[in-house]
Amino acid sequence: MKYFDYLDYLEAEAMYILRETAGQFERPALLFSGGKDSITLVHLALKAFRPGKLPFPLVHIDTGHNFPEAIAFRDALVEKTGAELIVGYVQDSIDQGKVVEPTGKYASRNALQSVTLLDTIQAHAFDACIGGARRDEEKARAKERIFSHRDEFGQWQPKKQRPELWNIYNGSLRKGEHMRVFPISNWTELDVWHYILREGIELPSLYFAHRRECILRDGQLLANSDFIYKDEQDVIVEKKVRFRTVGDMTCTAAVESDAETVEQVIEEIKAARTTERGTRVDDQMSEAAMEDRKKQGYF
């Protein structure tokens, strides 16, 4: 006899939220980065609406500085599932003069994504955007509700969020507003990995240990790339590494690792003394870096 375990509970909650989103909103979309959390969301959505197709498109905000492995995985997933893919390009926002590309050693297009994301939401009239954020990732994300309101400017104001009453989610909106929805908000990094193991979910090779040329900078290992400005203080090294998160190449650092399987990754995370977001350079810019970006419309 199979008992209903904690992964079954988390899965059921996430599928309920996804179905509520499809039922309450006219034009929802699933924000897809090519990372493990959004890949898990796609898997959950496929199960929630089986045998039908996904009732909403995948939306990827492409900085132009993505890991090639993540883009290749995205395209293969879309072909395999038959999902609709909508891509918003940060380069278009730069060309239109809506954002100015930073320059210099620590330059990154990561923060510019907010403008491209909000433009894409407006262009396609999305009233709900499903994201893979989790409360355990970072303190700003811990403040988000499952249904998290955004005003007519796409901005988030933590103190003006609507209360959630148990599993009753309020999706009412005024014209121009939209909702961000976080079905796996109650999951931890380990929960995601245990679920990936149980369900046999495929991931980009970036998540598993491999030898790679890296830039050693300020104690972080960044993947060597033409997108990153380098100077004489940067040291190029070859290391066996993997990535705990997958974002823009300019701000996503690797960790040294020998974990080549999901089981080994789980054991590595159990013993880790640093947080998952500790490998994101963009989160280290200030104490409130993530919250500041989210207020401007970030994921």
Side-chain angles (χ1 to χ4, degrees):
M1 178 178 177
K2 183 181 183 303
Y3 292 96
F4 195 78
D5 66 15
Y6 83 102
L7 285 179
D8 294 322
Y9 171 80
L10 291 172
E11 178 189 67
E13 180 189 55
M15 289 167 67
Y16 170 73
I17 294 166
L18 287 163
R19 289 167 178 158
E20 278 289 298
T21 305
Q24 291 198 36
F25 299 97
E26 294 183 1
R27 181 70 171 145
L30 193 154
L31 302 177
F32 186 81
S33 67
K36 66 184 186 310
D37 298 321
S38 57
I39 292 169
T40 298
L41 273 183
V42 172
H43 180 84
L44 287 162
L46 288 169
K47 290 188 78 170
F49 299 104
R50 189 178 292 165
K53 291 186 176 180
L54 289 178
F56 33 70
L58 307 183
V59 173
H60 181 220
I61 303 303
D62 187 343
T63 65
H65 293 170
N66 301 285
F67 286 94
E69 296 96 326
I71 296 297
F73 187 92
R74 178 200 71 183
D75 294 342
L77 180 73
V78 167
E79 183 175 354
K80 179 180 177 181
T81 61
E84 178 188 0
L85 175 67
I86 294 171
V87 182
Y89 295 96
V90 170
Q91 184 63 53
D92 289 346
S93 300
I94 295 171
D95 293 343
Q96 293 163 9
K98 293 182 175 180
V99 294
V100 177
E101 183 167 18
T103 57
K105 185 168 182 175
Y106 295 96
S108 171
R109 290 183 171 183
N110 194 51
L112 307 185
Q113 293 181 89
S114 301
V115 172
T116 310
L117 172 61
L118 295 179
D119 283 349
T120 304
I121 290 171
Q122 185 177 37
H124 294 272
F126 294 129
D127 55 359
C129 292
I130 304 162
R134 310 185 322 268
R135 289 195 172 110
D136 77 318
E137 282 184 86
E138 201 275 340
K139 53 185 178 295
R141 287 186 164 167
K143 296 179 182 177
E144 292 268 23
R145 304 290 183 177
I146 298 291
F147 274 25
S148 198
H149 176 264
R150 296 297 190 271
D151 65 18
E152 65 271 33
F153 304 106
Q155 296 177 334
W156 175 59
Q157 299 183 50
K159 293 181 180 179
K160 293 186 177 180
Q161 293 189 110
R162 295 167 180 164
E164 289 172 350
L165 300 177
W166 299 282
N167 62 347
I168 301 172
Y169 303 116
N170 181 355
S172 61
L173 294 169
R174 287 179 289 195
K175 187 176 181 180
E177 298 175 339
H178 72 274
M179 203 72 77
R180 301 288 172 88
V181 179
F182 303 108
I184 61 170
S185 188
N186 291 331
W187 298 40
T188 67
E189 182 186 14
L190 267 179
D191 292 335
V192 173
W193 277 102
H194 279 295
Y195 188 71
I196 287 168
L197 176 63
R198 188 183 85 169
E199 299 291 304
I201 299 172
E202 295 182 15
L203 294 178
S205 57
L206 290 163
Y207 280 107
F208 303 101
H210 57 284
R211 297 205 70 82
R212 192 177 198 109
E213 195 172 77
C214 298
I215 304 167
L216 178 59
R217 174 185 293 176
D218 301 332
Q220 300 270 33
L221 288 168
L222 294 165
N224 193 13
S225 161
D226 292 339
F227 305 137
I228 301 176
Y229 174 87
K230 298 177 277 287
D231 63 22
E232 64 281 357
Q233 294 181 321
D234 294 319
V235 179
I236 308 299
V237 295
E238 184 176 306
K239 296 280 188 181
K240 190 174 183 181
V241 299
R242 72 174 197 87
F243 293 84
R244 289 178 73 177
T245 67
V246 172
D248 194 283
M249 289 188 78
T250 57
C251 62
T252 306
V255 293
E256 289 193 71
S257 173
D258 289 316
E260 297 179 349
T261 66
V262 176
E263 292 89 341
Q264 290 170 348
V265 169
I266 289 172
E267 292 306 311
E268 183 181 271
I269 294 171
K270 286 179 180 177
R273 298 180 65 84
T274 58
T275 65
E276 180 182 3
R277 297 292 301 195
T279 59
R280 294 295 291 265
V281 177
D282 48 336
D283 287 355
Q284 318 304 318
M285 302 304 285
S286 75
E287 183 68 18
M290 171 66 85
E291 184 159 332
D292 291 342
R293 293 201 305 275
K294 288 178 77 67
K295 286 177 179 175
Q296 296 166 5
Y298 193 73
F299 303 93

